Amino acid sequence: GNGVSFRGYLAPETERYVGVTLVNETYRVTLQGSPGKDAHPYHHHINSFQLQAEDACLGQSYRSGEWRDVAFANGAEIRWTNDLFTGEVVVHCHILEHEDTGMMGQFTTV
C-alpha cells in the first residue's frame, strides 16, 4: 500500500477533495473515525474493497478477507485495486441523513 489518507471523508466543506489515485494501483487505507456504536458506515463507489482485519460494529460482523462496499470507520483497514475506471469516485457515510448533510468526499482516479 501507499498510505493514502482519506481524511476528507469526515472533513469540513473546504476539505472534501481527498486526493488522486492511479488506475491499476492497489491501495490500503485505514478508515479513521469513532469507535463502537458511533462509527459511521463508510461507502466507497466504483470498486469494492477487501477488509484487511475483522470489523465489528452495530451488531454486524465482517471477516478479514471479505469483499465489501461498506465498512465501519472505526479503524477498519481496507484494500482495493482501481480497475479500468478513471474519473471522480464518491465516498460517503452510508447513513442517508449524514450523507445529505454533507458527510461525503471524493477522489479522482487517473
Side-chain angles (χ1 to χ4, degrees), residues 37-51:
K37 66 180 180 65
D38 294 325
H40 293 273
Y42 167 93
H43 178 64
H44 183 127
H45 286 231
I46 308 300
N47 294 301
S48 296
F49 51 77
Q50 187 177 35
L51 296 173

Side-chain angles (χ1 to χ4, degrees), residues 27-92:
Y27 293 86
R28 186 173 179 145
V29 172
T30 299
L31 301 175
Q32 298 179 359
S34 302
K37 66 180 180 65
D38 294 325
H40 293 273
Y42 167 93
H43 178 64
H44 183 127
H45 286 231
I46 308 300
N47 294 301
S48 296
F49 51 77
Q50 187 177 35
L51 296 173
Q52 298 301 291
E54 302 296 311
D55 184 22
C57 186
L58 303 174
Q60 299 181 41
S61 181
Y62 301 159
R63 298 189 190 282
S64 181
E66 287 184 338
W67 288 92
R68 297 284 180 166
D69 66 357
V70 175
F72 292 101
N74 61 357
E77 290 185 34
I78 62 173
R79 179 181 69 113
W80 78 94
T81 301
N82 291 329
D83 290 337
L84 302 175
F85 175 82
T86 58
E88 303 301 317
V89 176
V90 175
V91 297
H92 59 86

